[in-house]
């Protein structure tokens, strides 16, 4: 079995740091496809952590198609790249209704905003203010730019420092982009001159 000297990790987002290090070793060829990874106990010792973040990292690697487990035998390398099916993703996002988008945003965004208000760093706040300023200038110029709107919402999610919130907002953005009915609704609301100011003020309050 290949022995790798993994680096100790800090406390923030442990499982992601572990995930990235293991994935990096797989990509570099330290672990070839079919190779067995060290046991959970060995990984705990090398990373200097408990089993919880190790299991989270291994679960994420398996979810992305990088490794697979054999009951009672261990974990093995399956691929050296993340496996994804973009065509299936596109079909999924197109199938989401505008009602689902609105319902999801109305329920989850207040929670994301609350977390962002509690956890935002100075850099996060600076980026958000810059985006709001950009949106204000666009509104005064009489234009609506969907990318700026998306940048603000994703920026708030980023400021929450919750990876799942970030991924959820990314999924919502993808659904909005690929849902034809959503574009139809947008073109008859936020892009209209009589609604642009209202839209900006609502976003400014976030």
């Amino acid at each position: 079995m290949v022995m790798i000297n993994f680096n100790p990790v800090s406390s923030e987002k442990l499982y992601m740091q572990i995930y990235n290090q293991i994935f990096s070793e797989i990509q570099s060829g330290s672990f070839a496809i079919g190779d067995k990874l060290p046991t959970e106990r060995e990984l705990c010792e090398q990373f200097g952590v408990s089993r919880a973040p190790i299991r989270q990292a291994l679960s994420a690697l398996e979810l992305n198609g990088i490794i697979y487990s054999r009951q009672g035998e261990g974990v093995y390398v399956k691929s050296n790249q993340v496996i994804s099916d973009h065509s299936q993703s596109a079909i999924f996002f197109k199938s989401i209704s505008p009602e689902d988008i609105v319902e999801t945003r109305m329920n989850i965004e207040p929670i994301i905003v609350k977390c962002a208000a509690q956890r935002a760093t100075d850099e996060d706040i600076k980026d958000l203010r810059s985006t709001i300023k950009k949106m204000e200038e666009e509104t005064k110029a009489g234009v609506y730019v969907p990318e700026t709107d998306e940048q603000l919402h994703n920026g708030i999610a980023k400021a929450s420092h919750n990876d799942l919130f970030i991924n959820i907002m990314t999924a919502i953005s993808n659904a909005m982009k690929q849902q034809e009915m959503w574009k139809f609704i947008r073109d008859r609301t936020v892009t209209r001159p009589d609604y642009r100011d209202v839209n900006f003020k609502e976003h400014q309050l976030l």
Side-chain angles (χ1 to χ4, degrees), residues 2-148:
V2 179
M3 294 300 295
I4 302 295
N5 292 319
F6 289 111
N7 299 320
V9 293
S10 58
S11 61
E12 187 174 357
K13 305 291 183 188
L14 282 177
Y15 81 96
M16 281 306 301
Q17 296 180 61
I18 296 167
Y19 173 103
N20 289 333
Q21 284 199 48
I22 295 176
F23 189 29
S24 176
E25 294 297 342
I26 292 173
Q27 286 186 309
S28 70
S30 296
F31 293 106
I33 294 174
D35 281 353
K36 182 179 180 180
L37 291 183
T39 64
E40 284 187 8
R41 171 186 263 178
E42 291 169 335
L43 289 172
C44 288
E45 291 175 355
Q46 291 189 48
F47 283 109
V49 298
S50 65
R51 291 203 175 194
I54 294 295
R55 288 174 176 171
Q56 284 180 298
L58 293 176
S59 294
L61 287 164
E62 187 166 11
L63 184 63
N64 283 328
I66 299 165
I67 63 172
Y68 67 98
S69 58
R70 290 179 184 169
Q71 187 66 33
E73 294 185 30
V75 178
Y76 295 80
V77 178
K78 181 178 181 180
S79 174
N80 58 10
Q81 59 185 349
V82 176
I83 299 173
S84 62
D85 189 338
H86 296 292
S87 60
Q88 286 190 3
S89 296
I91 294 171
F92 169 72
F93 287 128
K94 286 182 179 179
S95 69
I96 297 174
S97 69
E99 291 81 7
D100 287 344
I101 293 172
V102 172
E103 182 178 35
T104 302
R105 290 184 64 175
M106 287 182 66
N107 282 279
I108 200 167
E109 284 196 322
I111 300 172
I112 295 176
V113 169
K114 180 180 178 181
C115 289
Q118 295 171 340
R119 304 170 184 169
T121 63
D122 290 341
E123 184 178 355
D124 291 329
I125 294 171
K126 181 180 177 182
D127 289 342
L128 289 171
R129 285 176 176 169
S130 175
T131 304
I132 282 290
K133 181 66 176 176
K134 184 179 179 182
M135 183 178 283
E136 182 179 19
E137 291 171 351
E138 291 167 353
T139 301
K140 288 179 178 178
V143 295
Y144 169 77
V145 181
E147 290 76 14
T148 306

